[in-house]
Amino acid sequence: MIKVRVHELAKLLDTNSKELIALLAEYGYEIKNHMTVLEDDQLDIIFEVFTQRFNKAVEIPKFCRVKSPAAAPAQKKKKAAKEEPEAETTEPVAEVEISNEPIKRKVRHVDTRQTVIDANKMDTEKLEELAPTNLSEEDHVKVQKLKKGGNRHRDNMVTNKAKQQQPVKEEKIKKEKKKVLIPNEISVGELASRLGVSPTEVIKKLMALGIMAAISQTVEYDVAALIAEDLGAEVEHEIILTDEEILFDDHEDAPEDLEPRSPVVVVMGHVDHGKTSLLDAIRSTNVTDTEAGGITQHIGAHRVRIHDKKITFLDTPGHEAFTAMRARGAQATDIAILVVAADDGVMPQTIEAINHAKAAELSIIVAINKIDKEGANPDRIKQDLTEHGLIPEDWGGDTICVEVSAKKKLNIEGLLEMVLLVAEMRELKANPNRRAKGIVIESRLDKGRGPVATVLVQNGTLKVGDIVLAGTAIGHVRAMLDDKGKKIKKAGPSVPVEITGLSETPDGGDLFYAVDDERRGRNVIEKRKQQQKDERIKAHSAVTLEDLFNRIKDGQVKELNIIVKADVQGSVEAVRQSLEKLSNEEVRVRVIHGGVGAIRESDVMLAFASNAIIVGFNVRPDPGAAASAEHQCVDIRTYRVIYNAIEEIEAAMKGMLEPTFREEVTGHAEIRQTFRVSNVGTIAGCYVLDGTIARNTQIRLVRDGIVVHEGKLASLKRFKDDAKEVHSGYECGLGIENFNDIKEGDIVEGFKMVEVEK
């Protein structure tokens, strides 16, 4: 089936798109617009209605499925005695296959018989119209004008030859169709390039659709596909994948590829309820006494064997690390063992642990610890658990509760058997025969080995030598140690290992992937680092005069840092003293840097680092400084009068700052030649560097970053003609009102004061 859109079919049926959309709406199909591609069942409905309900003869287009006509007996019409025998022959009826959904109908018979033309009875003009127009010159059949009573046999030969040649030519055209890949969005220029036509031709097609677009503008896939098809191209949708999508293998595994894996368990609970002691009892080694302060060992995970099956435990000092993993969207564990002391009960951290485990959709097993202690009351613990939605199995619920003693190693095996039972019910599986994917449990910087990361393989198999990407770290796995400290060469699903060879230490909770393209992997790392940098800059809240009072009131600002730049050193000192006198009980004004000359990018960097405002007198920021200040949200204030600066900052500190106008730079022009004209003054020949220099805007003359004059233009010309404005990339001549000290290399900066909405 060939794809056909609503507007294409409407044109074929000599109707409009709205009528077809309304027709399909009656049968429960919601068609968005005239560009929608019609399905088989929708086409069937349209043909059914147009041939039967409206009693219209419909020519079946190429995209309709037509069965080979059955061998039907020749049907003869009643004919007049004057008709020739050749005119009596008819062709069989074709059967058109109709889809069963949503309307169930039987096979419909459509009359596809061709009308036999009597050449003697037709005038010459109509015969010329019947001649095929799509044949090449060498194949073109020269149709002669026929008169009544002419040679009918010759006419039939000409007609038959045309019929034979037309499908051959059409088939040739189909074969020569150009295939074009079009993404979700594409610029007009790129579309024209891919189609091998001029951009003007594409723009004309867009205008015909009512879309006005320039060469650099983008159009959506549906529009671009319509243009391409209209220009005779065959369209394929291009799916553009990012480097991460290409590198990271996140496809769903087929059920037959999955194999059972070990459960991953986290131990949670209130402080001093025996989490580490329970893990120690499970490992059957006394880690608690050998570690300073009873802090859990750094490996972060270990595996135990019971009944020929293994269980992986994550050794978290509490649920803080577990929470950090969940905050990054990482699902590291399958089962949570909630440790509750039988002599203490459910405590605030216990409730917090329950909520975290429920939010992570973990299976919860309650280990009621310290049952050997005097005052232990397991039933009271179970009663407290019911208040938080955990109903024990022996009370008719589905929460497994196991009474244990970590200190005396009582019923530890029973607890592990319950873990295996829950894991068996969950049918935990993974595919070991693919590239590894997992999660970083923790990492550290080792003096001898460099960055070391403990990772848990969740799917696939990690091997020594694999390229691993985690967070903003990448590298080859140089060595791999298991939880016992033994060197291993590979690790499958649910296996925790310690790896070396990464470029830096990743964060706990970061996902790691084994990738096969290091160059592309490093591109991903660079993009991630840039993204982090941009986020840090965005999060950095710079001080501005507009919000200074509110931040002082909220207690956020105790000190207002200012960087002063001026045209001469005397001005710097005068400004410094005047501003520092503004200090009061709530905020201290401190000038952290003062200098002579233009505002440079280094000043902006200092202001960003120290959360300062830059105040300039008779100086301007250079292009690099202006761009950097805008990017890093650093407030730059420039003045011509010291009093204005003091007044503004004092008003801001008192909360009375109400700016009504702001300066907007319109463009810059460089003076490249000067001319002295009698009775006029100095005229400057300029080249507009950026923006626009307009006749009615204010200007300032900047020399080496210092403002030497501020005023208005006396004249602005292009060649000998007066000009209202001159755009970037053009030359002009200008004169400045009441000022003639113009030199080559000076910069004319145009600006206007724009009212700020209150």
Side-chain angles (χ1 to χ4, degrees):
M1 294 293 290
I2 298 174
K3 291 183 179 178
V4 61
R5 301 180 190 276
V6 174
H7 73 92
E8 293 172 341
L9 186 58
K11 188 175 180 182
L12 286 168
L13 297 177
D14 194 22
T15 183
N16 57 56
S17 301
K18 288 184 179 179
E19 185 178 351
L20 295 187
I21 292 170
L23 171 62
L24 291 173
E26 293 178 16
Y27 290 87
Y29 289 97
E30 185 180 348
I31 305 298
K32 292 184 179 179
N33 53 42
H34 68 286
M35 297 291 295
T36 305
V37 176
L38 294 170
E39 302 294 337
D40 295 357
D41 48 358
Q42 295 167 347
L43 289 170
D44 290 335
I45 290 171
I46 292 169
F47 290 131
E48 180 77 15
V49 171
F50 269 71
T51 54
Q52 294 187 13
R53 183 195 293 179
F54 297 147
N55 197 23
K56 289 186 179 180
V58 180
E59 181 184 354
I60 306 301
K62 295 176 186 177
F63 47 78
C64 194
R65 295 171 293 175
V66 182
K67 291 183 179 178
S68 299
Q75 298 177 1
K76 296 185 179 180
K77 294 182 179 179
K78 292 182 180 180
K79 56 188 179 297
K82 294 181 181 179
E83 291 181 339
E84 296 290 335
E86 290 86 352
E88 296 177 12
T89 57
T90 58
E91 292 180 11
V93 175
E95 291 180 6
V96 181
E97 182 182 314
I98 304 298
S99 300
N100 291 329
E101 297 296 335
I103 299 172
K104 293 184 180 178
R105 295 183 184 274
K106 295 180 180 179
V107 173
R108 181 173 73 247
H109 296 276
V110 180
D111 192 349
T112 61
R113 292 173 293 181
Q114 297 181 351
T115 304
V116 178
I117 301 167
D118 188 349
N120 285 330
K121 295 182 181 180
M122 294 195 66
D123 57 20
T124 55
E125 286 80 2
K126 295 218 173 161
L127 278 171
E128 286 177 344
E129 289 176 4
L130 287 172
T133 57
N134 61 341
L135 298 176
S136 62
E137 289 184 6
E138 61 183 61
D139 294 333
H140 188 69
V141 179
K142 296 180 180 179
V143 181
Q144 299 179 353
K145 293 187 178 180
L146 301 177
K147 296 181 180 179
K148 290 182 180 178
N151 190 337
R152 189 183 296 109
H153 179 68
R154 183 187 60 190
D155 299 337
N156 289 340
M157 286 180 64
V158 171
T159 307
N160 291 336
K161 187 177 180 183
K163 286 181 181 178
Q164 290 170 5
Q165 288 179 349
Q166 187 169 350
V168 172
K169 185 64 180 176
E170 285 180 359
E171 189 178 346
K172 188 177 179 182
I173 291 169
K174 281 184 182 178
K175 287 181 180 177
E176 291 175 356
K177 269 193 174 182
K178 185 175 183 179
K179 286 189 177 181
V180 178
L181 291 171
I182 299 178
N184 291 334
E185 286 187 349
I186 188 170
S187 69
V188 174
E190 177 63 20
L191 177 59
S193 176
R194 294 189 182 191
L195 290 170
V197 298
S198 68
T200 309
E201 194 169 348
V202 175
I203 291 171
K204 284 180 181 177
K205 294 287 185 184
L206 288 168
M207 290 173 69
L209 294 174
I211 299 170
M212 305 299 291
I215 294 176
S216 58
Q217 286 180 290
T218 58
V219 293
E220 293 181 352
Y221 168 78
D222 286 344
V223 177
L226 181 61
I227 299 296
E229 288 172 358
D230 200 27
L231 291 170
E234 188 177 330
V235 177
E236 288 185 16
H237 198 169
E238 182 181 12
I239 307 298
I240 299 175
L241 300 176
T242 63
D243 285 339
E244 290 193 15
E245 289 171 332
I246 294 169
L247 280 176
F248 301 160
D249 188 5
D250 279 328
H251 74 272
E252 286 283 335
D253 290 301
E256 60 270 16
D257 296 332
L258 298 174
E259 297 178 10
R261 64 172 178 84
S262 307
V264 181
V265 182
V266 63
V267 179
M268 308 169 73
H270 190 71
V271 65
D272 296 331
H273 276 203
K275 297 188 300 292
T276 305
S277 297
L278 180 61
L279 285 166
D280 173 45
I282 290 169
R283 285 195 300 258
S284 298
T285 55
N286 197 346
V287 176
T288 309
D289 293 342
T290 60
E291 293 189 357
I295 301 300
T296 304
Q297 64 177 13
H298 66 260
I299 181 62
H302 69 278
R303 304 192 84 195
V304 297
R305 181 186 292 272
I306 177 170
H307 305 323
D308 296 327
K309 293 184 179 178
K310 291 186 176 181
I311 303 172
T312 300
F313 283 88
L314 295 188
D315 304 340
T316 55
H319 54 263
E320 292 83 4
F322 171 74
T323 307
M325 290 178 190
R326 257 204 337 108
R328 292 183 176 89
Q331 185 69 23
T333 51
D334 308 305
I335 299 169
I337 294 179
L338 182 67
V339 181
V340 186
D343 63 336
D344 198 359
V346 174
M347 303 298 286
Q349 283 186 353
T350 313
I351 298 168
E352 201 174 331
I354 292 170
N355 293 335
H356 283 304
K358 283 183 176 180
E361 298 180 353
L362 302 181
S363 300
I364 300 175
I365 297 175
V366 179
I368 303 175
N369 194 22
K370 303 183 181 180
I371 58 168
D372 57 310
K373 289 189 71 174
E374 188 177 347
N377 189 350
D379 287 338
R380 183 169 65 86
I381 302 299
K382 292 178 182 179
Q383 178 63 45
D384 291 346
L385 290 172
T386 58
E387 296 175 8
H388 300 284
L390 298 180
I391 302 172
E393 277 187 327
D394 50 353
W395 287 19
D398 55 4
T399 302
I400 297 173
C401 295
V402 183
E403 298 177 13
V404 298
S405 171
K407 187 176 181 180
K408 295 191 176 181
K409 297 183 175 59
L410 296 175
N411 204 24
I412 301 299
E413 190 171 326
L415 175 63
L416 296 178
E417 286 175 351
M418 289 298 106
V419 170
L420 290 178
L421 177 63
V422 171
E424 188 178 338
M425 291 172 64
R426 291 193 60 171
E427 295 183 349
L428 303 172
K429 292 183 179 182
N431 179 10
N433 303 313
R434 59 183 288 179
R435 288 202 302 271
K437 173 193 172 184
I439 190 169
V440 178
I441 298 171
E442 60 185 18
S443 63
R444 70 185 193 282
L445 194 61
D446 188 277
K447 288 182 180 179
R449 296 186 293 165
V452 177
T454 301
V455 301
L456 174 69
V457 180
Q458 294 178 303
N459 206 9
T461 299
L462 183 64
K463 304 182 184 79
V464 173
D466 281 354
I467 304 165
V468 170
L469 190 152
T472 55
I474 191 172
H476 291 263
V477 178
R478 287 205 306 262
M480 199 156 48
L481 304 177
D482 65 7
D483 58 304
K484 307 295 190 297
K486 295 179 181 178
K487 282 190 176 183
I488 57 175
K489 291 186 177 180
K490 62 181 182 178
S494 299
V495 177
V497 288
E498 194 176 71
I499 62 172
T500 58
L502 296 178
S503 57
E504 58 184 73
T505 54
D507 295 329
D510 281 344
L511 292 176
F512 82 83
Y513 289 87
V515 299
D516 57 359
D517 188 336
E518 187 172 0
R519 180 190 58 79
R520 203 183 292 271
R522 294 195 181 277
N523 290 342
V524 171
I525 293 298
E526 290 305 316
K527 286 179 184 175
R528 287 183 176 181
K529 286 182 177 179
Q530 185 60 44
Q531 187 178 357
Q532 287 182 358
K533 184 180 177 182
D534 292 342
E535 286 174 358
R536 283 196 300 270
I537 290 171
K538 192 176 179 181
H540 180 86
S541 183
V543 174
T544 60
L545 286 187
E546 281 81 1
D547 68 346
L548 179 59
F549 177 71
N550 291 331
R551 297 182 71 168
I552 292 170
K553 195 165 62 175
D554 294 341
Q556 296 180 23
V557 177
K558 300 294 183 185
E559 217 171 46
L560 176 60
N561 295 330
I562 295 177
I563 294 171
V564 176
K565 295 300 291 284
D567 52 348
V568 291
Q569 186 62 37
S571 298
V572 174
E573 294 304 321
V575 174
R576 183 196 295 270
Q577 292 174 13
S578 301
L579 292 177
E580 288 183 344
K581 286 179 183 177
L582 296 175
S583 300
N584 55 36
E585 294 176 357
E586 293 180 336
V587 61
R588 182 166 75 93
V589 178
R590 189 163 68 100
V591 177
I592 62 171
H593 175 66
V596 175
I599 299 168
R600 309 290 182 193
E601 195 168 354
S602 57
D603 299 321
V604 176
M605 291 173 65
L606 176 60
F608 175 74
S610 54
N611 216 12
I613 294 170
I614 299 176
V615 174
F617 289 88
N618 289 332
V619 293
R620 299 293 300 162
D622 61 26
S628 180
E630 185 178 354
H631 181 62
Q632 298 183 359
C633 301
V634 171
D635 196 5
I636 297 179
R637 298 279 171 152
T638 55
Y639 305 94
R640 296 277 289 166
V641 183
I642 292 177
Y643 176 75
N644 291 344
I646 297 167
E647 194 177 41
E648 264 200 21
I649 293 174
E650 189 175 18
M653 291 171 66
K654 292 179 180 178
M656 298 185 298
L657 182 66
E658 296 181 359
T660 54
F661 291 90
R662 65 177 174 84
E663 180 187 292
E664 185 178 282
V665 176
T666 60
H668 296 87
E670 182 184 5
I671 295 175
R672 296 189 171 178
Q673 201 169 0
T674 59
F675 308 92
R676 184 73 182 174
V677 180
S678 58
N679 300 326
V680 175
T682 305
I683 299 297
C686 305
Y687 178 80
V688 182
L689 300 172
D690 59 72
T692 304
I693 299 296
R695 174 70 182 82
N696 58 352
T697 57
Q698 293 176 275
I699 61 100
R700 59 171 62 92
L701 193 68
V702 183
R703 186 175 297 154
D704 298 326
I706 308 297
V707 179
V708 295
H709 178 74
E710 197 170 286
K712 292 184 177 180
L713 291 178
S715 60
L716 181 65
K717 291 180 180 288
R718 276 277 295 154
F719 302 106
K720 294 182 180 180
D721 300 325
D722 288 330
K724 286 186 177 180
E725 60 183 20
V726 181
H727 295 280
S728 171
Y730 290 92
E731 295 179 340
C732 64
L734 58 82
I736 301 174
E737 281 187 5
N738 304 320
F739 189 79
N740 293 315
D741 183 21
I742 304 172
K743 296 181 180 179
E744 292 180 12
D746 288 353
I747 300 295
V748 176
E749 182 178 76
F751 67 95
K752 59 183 178 181
M753 303 306 292
V754 180
E755 188 173 353
V756 178
E757 293 182 7
K758 294 183 180 180

